[in-house]
Structures are given as C-alpha cells and as structure tokens.
Amino acid sequence: MQRANYTLLTEFILTGVPHPPRLRTFLLVFFLLIYILTQLGNLLILITVCTDTQLRARPMYIFLGTLSIIDMGISSIIVPRLMMNFTPGIKPISFGSCVAQLYFYHFLGSTVCYLYTTMAYDRYLAICQPLRYPVLMSAKLSTLLVAGAWVAGSIHGAIQAILTFHLPYYGPNQVDYFFCDIPAVLKLACADTTVNELVTFVDIGVVVASCFSLILLSYIFIIRAILRIRTADGRQRAFSTCGAHMTIVTVYYVPCAFIYLRPDSHSLLDGAAALFPTAINPFLNPLIYTLRNQEVKLALRRMIGGQRAKSEA
C-alpha cells in the first residue's frame, strides 16, 4: 500500500555516450554528418531501385529497397536523440517517447534480422538453383516475404515494449545509455526483473540464433556451389555478389549478440557496441551495396544519364 503513494515517472534522462567534454562539438558534427549521409545514401538507393525498370522487379532489389527504408528509420529513431546529448543542458525524454523509441527500435531491428535471412535465402537460390530461381523466388513471393518480416518484427517489438513498460517506474529516472533500450531501462524498474530478463534473453536469442543459423547454413551451401564453378571469373563474381551481404550481416549480428546474449549486459562497452546497429550499419549499407554491386552502379549511371538527357533537351 505504501508504494501506491509513489508517483510514476513521466520522463527519463538519457546520459548518452561517455565522452571528454572537449570532443563534444566534434562528436556532434560527426554524428550529424553520419545521419545526413545515411539518409541521403539510403534514399538514393531507394530511388534507384524504384525508378530503374531492370531492378525494381527483381527480388534481390526489393529486399535492398526495404533495407534502405529500415536503415533510414533506425537512424532517425536513434541518431537525432544521440546528437542532443552533445548539446548543452539536460534533454529529458518523455515516458511515451521512451516507449515509442524502444518499440520502433526492436520492431525495425528484428525486421532487419528476418530480412537478412531472406536475402541469404535469395542468394542461395540464385547461386545454387539458378535455372529454377525465377520460379522459386518470384516478385510476388519476395513481396510476401518482406510483408512477413514487417509483421514478425512488429510483433517482436510489441512484446519487448509491453514486457518492459508494464513494470512500475518511480525513480530514479537516469538511463545510463544513449537511447531507451531494454537492459538500461530495466535497471530502473521498481520490481523484480528476473522474468523480463529471461524472456528478453530467450526471445531475442531465438530471433538472433535462428536467423543467423539459417544465414550460415545458406552460405555453407553457397560456398560449396561457388567452389564447384570452374572459371576463376565465375567464382569471383559469385563471391562478390555475396560478399556485401556477409559483411553487413557480420557487422550487425556480432554487436547485437554482445549486447543482448550475455548474462550481465550492463557494461560500458554495450554503448559502443550499440552504435554499430543503430548508427554505423545504416551508414555503411548504401556504401557497401553500391561500391560492391555492379548492377546498382550501372543503374545509378543510367539514372544520372537520363536526368542529363532531359536537362539538355
């Protein structure tokens, strides 16, 4: 009955990324550039895929366009709030905004996991079943797979948000992190969090482990198929097709496993690791997929050439 007299929190204070005060301006400009380049790079890929007739009907580029949308979303949810911590004064975040940030981060983050798995399966069919690929992976099926990833991601995000914020929060309100995430917020709960931590570990563990295992299995078959290719040029093109995807998957999954799949995930290194899936990965995706993908580069040239022809006419 005594707790009934307590007042529920209406806002949280995010401590941000630990940094020397003299680097505050540099970090603000750095993450501002990262955010702008992330939005522009992913928007460029999205426009290229949507406007190029040779790309927009192909499953691989349907997935790539979806990934660009998700990357812009994750970056917009996290990075602007991160930059506020490099400006003078205390910038509290309302309770509702904290709930929304946690939900959308886990919604989009888990959708990325499912999307990476789908992309690996797509590459497996393209390399291991090239003659049957148009039948096995049609544009309709790829659209359904993308829709399924969105739905599964939204359910996962809702589960995590409800489990985290159904607990009472009376104070303190200082979150030792740069955004509202499960481990940091649960530390402030005025109730036993054992069940929450267990469910979070199992839920995220199942998503990460199952998706990563399926990706790994797909690439085992892909590598076996590539090694059977007789020409060096054919092997190089096949490895180039899959290299970008494997690079992004590695940079994404390793930090996520480090943050969520350890018995005690409250160390300062968690914040540094979380910068990869929230800020670095969305920035790198368009660079890797454009620099290592000849078809995207050709589509960009066609789009730029078409715009020049129109302006000259």
Side-chain angles (χ1 to χ4, degrees):
M1 295 299 294
Q2 185 178 359
R3 180 164 291 182
N5 296 324
Y6 293 171
T7 302
L8 291 171
L9 292 177
T10 59
E11 63 182 25
F12 294 98
I13 296 174
L14 302 175
T15 59
V17 177
H19 62 280
R22 66 179 180 276
L23 294 180
R24 179 172 293 175
T25 302
F26 168 78
L27 290 172
L28 175 62
V29 174
F30 173 77
F31 282 106
L32 177 61
L33 288 175
I34 289 287
Y35 178 69
I36 293 172
L37 292 175
T38 297
Q39 299 301 311
L40 291 177
N42 283 287
L43 183 61
L44 181 61
I45 286 185
L46 185 61
I47 292 173
T48 303
V49 171
C50 291
T51 58
D52 191 276
T53 55
Q54 297 182 34
L55 296 185
R56 65 186 177 201
R58 296 179 56 183
M60 176 180 176
Y61 296 102
I62 294 175
F63 302 142
L64 185 56
T66 305
L67 181 61
S68 294
I69 294 173
I70 295 173
D71 283 340
M72 288 190 290
I74 291 178
S75 178
S76 296
I77 292 166
I78 304 298
V79 179
R81 187 73 221 184
L82 169 63
M83 290 189 295
M84 290 178 66
N85 291 308
F86 300 123
T87 59
I90 298 175
K91 307 294 190 303
I93 181 172
S94 68
F95 189 91
S97 297
C98 190
V99 175
Q101 190 180 56
L102 187 145
Y103 165 73
F104 280 107
Y105 173 67
H106 283 274
F107 164 31
L108 296 176
S110 57
T111 303
V112 167
C113 290
Y114 302 132
L115 189 63
Y116 283 156
T117 307
T118 304
M119 293 171 75
Y121 178 63
D122 174 73
R123 292 301 84 204
Y124 160 75
L125 292 179
I127 293 174
C128 300
Q129 305 283 342
L131 298 179
R132 300 177 60 201
Y133 176 76
V135 177
L136 295 174
M137 183 60 76
S138 63
K140 181 179 179 181
L141 176 59
S142 62
T143 303
L144 289 174
L145 290 172
V146 168
W150 283 112
V151 171
S154 66
I155 293 172
H156 172 83
I159 290 173
Q160 295 302 330
I162 292 170
L163 284 174
T164 302
F165 289 101
H166 87 283
L167 298 173
Y169 293 89
Y170 300 110
N173 69 338
Q174 183 169 298
V175 180
D176 293 326
Y177 218 49
F178 63 91
F179 72 102
C180 293
D181 199 15
I182 299 167
V185 173
L186 282 181
K187 290 172 65 176
L188 305 180
C190 298
D192 184 21
T193 61
T194 304
V195 174
N196 290 71
E197 292 172 357
L198 179 61
V199 172
T200 298
F201 179 84
V202 172
D203 184 24
I204 296 179
V206 167
V207 172
V208 171
S210 59
C211 290
F212 189 75
S213 298
L214 290 172
I215 292 171
L216 189 62
L217 184 62
S218 296
Y219 274 92
I220 289 173
F221 286 110
I222 288 172
I223 292 172
R224 287 176 57 187
I226 290 175
L227 293 177
R228 294 195 191 103
I229 299 175
R230 296 182 179 181
T231 63
D233 182 61
R235 286 195 297 269
Q236 183 178 358
R237 282 190 287 108
F239 273 120
S240 178
T241 303
C242 302
H245 184 237
M246 281 306 298
T247 302
I248 290 299
V249 165
T250 303
V251 174
Y252 184 82
Y253 274 100
V254 171
C256 287
F258 178 80
I259 295 168
Y260 299 108
L261 302 184
R262 290 182 295 129
D264 183 18
S265 58
H266 302 318
S267 73
L268 292 175
L269 291 177
D270 288 354
L275 287 173
F276 282 90
T278 57
I280 306 302
N281 238 49
F283 167 71
L284 290 178
N285 277 349
L287 292 176
I288 291 175
Y289 279 110
T290 52
L291 293 177
R292 301 195 59 171
N293 190 308
Q294 292 296 328
E295 291 177 321
V296 173
K297 287 192 284 188
L298 289 174
L300 281 170
R301 289 170 187 165
R302 286 194 296 269
M303 184 176 69
I304 295 171
Q307 292 297 326
R308 285 179 180 172
K310 289 180 181 179
S311 62
E312 290 175 0

